[in-house]
Amino acid sequence: STLDSYTRLLESYVLPELGRRRLDKLRPVHVSALLSQLARPRGDLPPLSQRTLRYLWALLHQLLRHAVRLEVIRSNPLDAVPPPRPAPRRPVAWDPDEVVSFLDAARAHSRLHPLYLTALLTGARQGELLALRRDDLDLAAGTLHIHRSRSPAGAETAPKTAAGHRAIPLPPDALEALRGHLAALDERAELGRRHGRELASEYLFPNYRGGPLTARNVVRDFVAVIGHCDPAVRLIGFHSLRHTYATLALRAGLAPHVVAQRLGHADPSVLMRIYAHVLRDQVAAAALPMADLLSTCRQTQKAPG
């Protein structure tokens, strides 16, 4: 998984810009310009996050340091380029109107609508969604069980903490959509069998051949659906669907420890730190009703009799 991550970063972002440049001709300004470019929107693609940029910087620094040890180059150009600062910023999340617009577009233009709906109503990670099996969904109990996660390289692993193993209650609209989704999968599998093709799948969200979906194809479809949205919605990363769920759940009044449990956080303080701005908004929103309550109490106490 780590090797695949390194390879994708290099092939996607570094080699297209710096791949033809000799190592001994690589200067700090070249790497600095690349990082600045990746920090801005590129056509239809959103900018890389500060976390990804720091990860990319660390990878390049490690590779070039190895080149110095092998005496391929005399010095490491990245020694003169500071790593991108982890700028503290609020998680990007859609507002309710954007969620509705996106789901309408997904229903009309993408067969992955059930996947997106599940993501927005559970806050599950992309890897967790792609690793789901059909028997992880309990329609009778109305719950979705998370037991594993699938990496972009295709490796499946168990959650890192006990909190990652969880059962998430599903609302009625999600259950209805998933029932229809399973019926469509069964119909397609039966049609395949009639034509001598085995399309039945153990996965809850399979690809056309019945195998697991890849993260790359999901992101490609996700961006395409955003392009179909009317009214338009902001271009965000798939992981921001998780932030959208958490933000809307907290604003709807769901207790932070419940949201943390549904997200699979081992420590609820992590959620409190990431979504502190949402909780501050909740406190501010509660201030006026509390003031009204106290005012009413004072007036009641002063009333005769």
Side-chain angles (χ1 to χ4, degrees):
S1 177
T2 302
L3 176 60
D4 178 74
S5 175
Y6 289 168
T7 302
R8 286 187 296 106
L9 281 174
L10 291 173
E11 292 181 347
S12 299
Y13 306 118
V14 178
L15 297 183
E17 298 296 329
L18 303 180
R20 292 182 174 273
R21 190 175 298 277
R22 287 168 52 101
L23 277 182
D24 59 355
K25 302 297 182 183
L26 185 64
R27 300 290 180 263
V29 66
H30 300 141
V31 183
S32 180
L34 173 64
L35 294 174
S36 297
Q37 175 184 333
L38 295 175
R40 299 189 297 269
R42 292 155 290 123
D44 293 335
L45 298 177
L48 295 187
S49 68
Q50 289 294 311
R51 180 180 180 182
T52 302
L53 289 173
R54 286 178 63 84
Y55 188 56
L56 181 59
W57 180 93
L59 171 60
L60 288 176
H61 190 274
Q62 180 181 356
L63 293 174
L64 293 172
R65 184 173 60 183
H66 187 62
V68 172
R69 288 198 297 265
L70 295 178
E71 299 183 358
V72 176
I73 54 179
R74 293 186 176 183
S75 62
N76 189 338
L78 258 71
D79 286 341
V81 180
R85 292 185 177 181
R89 60 179 184 178
R90 296 182 178 183
V92 178
W94 279 335
D95 59 40
D97 290 339
E98 289 176 302
V99 171
V100 171
S101 179
F102 172 78
L103 289 177
D104 286 344
R107 189 179 294 107
H109 299 283
S110 173
R111 70 181 187 88
L112 299 184
H113 169 263
L115 169 67
Y116 300 137
L117 180 64
T118 304
L120 284 163
L121 292 177
T122 64
R125 300 173 179 89
Q126 184 189 55
E128 293 172 339
L129 294 166
L130 300 187
L132 286 172
R133 305 308 203 262
R134 293 180 60 141
D135 56 10
D136 292 327
L137 174 64
D138 188 339
L139 289 173
T143 55
L144 187 67
H145 296 266
I146 304 292
H147 298 299
R148 63 189 75 82
S149 182
R150 186 175 184 83
S151 75
E156 293 193 1
T157 57
K160 297 179 180 178
T161 64
H165 294 273
R166 58 201 190 276
I168 306 176
L170 296 174
D173 50 351
L175 291 172
E176 181 182 355
L178 289 173
R179 283 193 185 94
H181 171 65
L182 292 178
L185 290 180
D186 291 339
E187 182 179 350
R188 185 169 178 273
E190 178 60 29
L191 184 62
R193 280 191 289 270
R194 292 177 185 175
H195 291 81
R197 298 179 62 190
E198 183 55 53
L199 299 178
S201 176
E202 62 175 332
Y203 287 94
L204 182 58
F205 302 113
N207 60 24
Y208 282 111
R209 296 182 179 180
L213 283 167
T214 64
R216 182 173 300 180
N217 286 339
V218 171
V219 170
R220 185 181 294 115
D221 184 85
F222 177 69
V223 172
V225 171
I226 293 177
H228 287 293
C229 289
D230 183 24
V233 302
R234 288 170 291 166
L235 179 63
I236 62 174
F238 190 95
H239 190 73
S240 289
L241 297 183
R242 180 172 167 87
H243 295 315
T244 297
Y245 162 77
T247 300
L248 296 181
L250 290 171
R251 286 180 176 162
L254 203 60
H257 74 276
V258 175
V259 178
Q261 183 181 27
R262 290 171 68 98
L263 292 174
H265 286 166
D267 184 357
S269 67
V270 174
L271 178 130
M272 305 284 281
R273 183 172 63 252
I274 296 174
Y275 301 100
H277 63 288
V278 179
L279 298 173
R280 284 195 297 269
D281 291 344
Q282 295 296 85
V283 171
L288 182 58
M290 179 61 70
D292 291 343
L293 175 62
L294 294 175
S295 176
T296 302
C297 290
R298 285 193 294 267
Q299 290 176 7
T300 304
Q301 291 172 352
K302 293 179 180 179

